[in-house]
Amino acid sequence: MRLRRSFFDSQLILVLNIVTNYAWLLPSPWGISMESVNMRHLLKWRRQQSPCSSVIYSVQFQGEFELRILNGSWEDVVGCQRVTRTECDLTFDLGSDSDYNIRVRAECGRRVSPWAELGRPFNRRETILTVPAITVTTMGDALQVTFKGLPLTVGVTVTIWKRGEFVRGKSSLRVITVQQNPLHIDALQEGAVYCVKAQAHLDTHSKSSSTDTQCVSITGPGPTWLKPTTVTVIVVILAGLVFCLSWSVTHCRPEACYAYFRKEPQPTALLLDWPLTRVKIYPQDELREPIHAVLLSEPQRELRTEPSSQLDKWTQSICSEGTDRPYQV
């Protein structure tokens, strides 16, 4: 009996724990869907009714690499962890053409909801391509087609034809990528009307609808043969002018040459015979200053030969008064 009672008690406790934990769990998000247009992948979901006022959400994904190489692990979407919004941009996280599993859960304080997964794996090749926006302009004898609002991984097929010649073999088909935007097509016929239409594509199975046909008239410099013809005419005209000038110079009579090629007369100032006069320049007298000489007597000469302190004083007094001032002894 004791064993039965203990067994029933343990089962009752287990059931109570499960019921309690489930009561405290948040309801999972619902209505999970993926909207992918022009390679922009946006995951959306709806809120469950919950007494919790502030619910936050986290998103994870699992691709082929995580499933096979990383043993089925899940990766967090960096920009969609503990957010309050009900959408998540996965454009940069889904970086390959493999299938991805995606799941979302809700949190409120310590309460966490179970993970809710997307109904089926998503592949970015399932994106919907819209009709590309194009602008067609003329530049001389060329066309320029500009594209707007297309991602880098999307290619564009451009079809160009002359009006009335849209048949196989006569229409020009150009396939470009967005990196080549804008598309430049030159050497078109002047006066003709050309039509353009475009279609976005990822591969042979994913294409957008074609744009409306846009037709423009070419009013450029003309067909390509006109340029070399114009250059040839200009060269012939210049050669004729050079030939005429050389012939006229070699076959010109002297009197005719003098009549057509007259020399400018010399100025009258150069024709007059002006008298020449010589101008003699006398050098100026040099500046002279008087020098006063002092003659010493015989006793003074003897004094100059005898060194003494009195003689030094007397010599210094003479030097201080100046050399140009005479004095008598």
Side-chain angles (χ1 to χ4, degrees):
M1 293 294 293
R2 292 182 178 178
L3 293 174
R4 287 183 179 182
R5 185 175 296 176
S6 61
F7 175 75
F8 284 120
D9 291 342
S10 62
Q11 293 296 324
L12 180 61
I13 293 173
L14 179 61
V15 171
L16 290 176
N17 287 333
I18 294 175
V19 172
T20 304
N21 291 334
Y22 183 78
W24 279 95
L25 285 176
L26 287 176
S28 301
W30 65 286
I32 303 175
S33 62
M34 177 69 76
E35 294 182 3
S36 179
V37 179
N38 290 336
M39 295 299 288
R40 183 173 184 266
H41 318 303
L42 192 65
L43 182 71
K44 294 184 177 182
W45 59 89
R46 296 182 181 179
R47 301 177 186 271
Q48 283 280 18
Q49 293 182 358
S50 172
C52 186
S53 58
S54 58
V55 181
I56 57 178
Y57 301 93
S58 299
V59 182
Q60 291 182 341
F61 68 91
Q62 182 188 67
E64 185 176 357
F65 179 78
E66 290 79 15
L67 183 62
R68 297 185 179 182
I69 307 301
L70 300 181
N71 299 324
S73 63
W74 291 79
E75 294 293 330
D76 293 336
V77 180
V78 177
C80 300
Q81 295 298 307
R82 303 178 64 84
V83 296
T84 57
R85 60 182 183 273
T86 58
E87 63 181 22
C88 175
D89 192 348
L90 297 170
T91 302
F92 298 102
D93 295 277
L94 310 183
S96 65
D97 291 340
S98 60
D99 294 337
Y100 286 89
N101 297 316
I102 304 170
R103 64 184 186 181
V104 188
R105 76 174 180 183
E107 300 179 29
C108 181
R110 296 183 178 181
R111 302 174 63 186
V112 181
S113 73
W115 289 99
E117 294 190 16
L118 190 64
R120 62 182 183 86
F122 170 76
N123 194 305
R124 67 178 188 176
R125 289 178 297 181
E126 301 173 7
T127 187
I128 299 174
L129 297 178
T130 59
V131 178
I134 65 172
T135 303
V136 182
T137 55
T138 59
M139 301 176 61
D141 61 343
L143 282 179
Q144 180 171 294
V145 185
T146 306
F147 305 92
K148 297 180 180 178
L150 288 178
L152 298 178
T153 55
V154 174
V156 182
T157 303
V158 182
T159 307
I160 303 168
W161 70 94
K162 190 189 298 184
R163 179 179 286 177
E165 297 183 357
F166 186 63
V167 293
R168 182 172 298 179
K170 290 188 177 181
S171 59
S172 177
L173 183 64
R174 306 287 181 94
V175 179
I176 68 168
T177 58
V178 180
Q179 287 83 353
Q180 296 173 308
N181 188 15
L183 174 63
H184 188 79
I185 304 167
D186 55 1
L188 300 178
Q189 183 180 352
E190 181 183 4
V193 178
Y194 287 86
C195 300
V196 180
K197 68 177 182 179
Q199 184 181 29
H201 64 86
L202 279 176
D203 48 33
T204 57
H205 302 286
S206 181
K207 295 182 179 180
S208 70
S209 301
S210 297
T211 62
D212 295 334
T213 302
Q214 299 188 27
C215 298
V216 292
S217 179
I218 302 299
T219 59
T224 56
W225 59 267
L226 187 60
K227 294 181 180 179
T229 303
T230 305
V231 174
T232 304
V233 172
I234 293 174
V235 170
V236 171
I237 294 174
L238 292 177
L241 291 176
V242 172
F243 175 76
C244 293
L245 290 175
S246 61
W247 184 89
S248 61
V249 170
T250 55
H251 296 79
C252 183
R253 294 180 180 180
E255 57 274 11
C257 292
Y258 293 149
Y260 289 105
F261 304 100
R262 294 181 179 180
K263 294 183 179 180
E264 291 291 333
Q266 293 184 358
T268 55
L270 298 179
L271 299 177
L272 297 177
D273 190 9
W274 295 92
L276 299 178
T277 57
R278 295 182 178 180
V279 179
K280 188 176 182 181
I281 300 175
Y282 295 94
Q284 296 181 359
D285 294 337
E286 295 182 357
L287 298 178
R288 299 184 179 89
E289 291 185 0
I291 298 176
H292 300 279
V294 178
L295 298 178
L296 300 178
S297 61
E298 189 67 23
Q300 291 175 349
R301 293 178 183 176
E302 292 178 357
L303 287 174
R304 288 180 60 87
T305 57
E306 297 178 1
S308 64
S309 59
Q310 188 67 25
L311 181 60
D312 295 337
K313 294 180 181 180
W314 177 72
T315 304
Q316 292 177 0
S317 62
I318 293 175
C319 295
S320 62
E321 292 179 359
T323 56
D324 56 347
R325 181 178 179 182
Y327 59 91
Q328 296 180 357
V329 177

